[in-house]
Amino acid sequence: MKVNAQSVNFIADAKLMDFIQKRMDKLEVFYDKVIGSDVYLKVENTSAKENKIVEIKLLVPRDKLIVKKQCKSFEEAVDSACNSLERKLVKKKEKLRAKA
């Protein structure tokens, strides 16, 4: 799957980008018609520890799934967002099967 990752106001290291790519590739297990995705990494300028924001836009045929998570680390946020996307993809697949 093509993952377009963008870090806003900072430079993400290769290790984080590899983690995002591997985690996003696992989504194809749940729904094989995924076209691509946009991942936005942001650091909120607050004193709170949970200041890492990950927003994922997943492109599927005739639809776009968007999930936004805020956690202590980018890895945790990506993992949480992907778990939400997995549930959304399973629901979408079940709806398509019900129509067929």
Side-chain angles (χ1 to χ4, degrees), residues 12-64:
D13 63 336
K15 207 165 102 176
L16 178 61
M17 292 303 183
D18 288 342
F19 175 80
I20 292 169
Q21 182 68 51
K22 285 178 186 168
R23 191 64 180 91
M24 296 298 289
D25 286 342
K26 289 180 184 176
L27 291 176
E28 289 185 321
V29 171
F30 297 92
Y31 192 76
D32 56 355
K33 293 177 177 69
V34 176
I35 299 167
S37 61
D38 294 323
V39 180
Y40 300 98
L41 307 169
K42 300 173 192 165
V43 179
E44 199 173 68
N45 210 357
T46 61
S47 59
K49 287 183 180 174
E50 292 192 359
N51 66 341
K52 311 289 190 296
I53 301 171
V54 171
E55 188 175 337
I56 301 175
K57 291 181 185 174
L58 196 67
L59 304 170
V60 293
R62 295 185 304 244
D63 204 2
K64 196 186 291 184

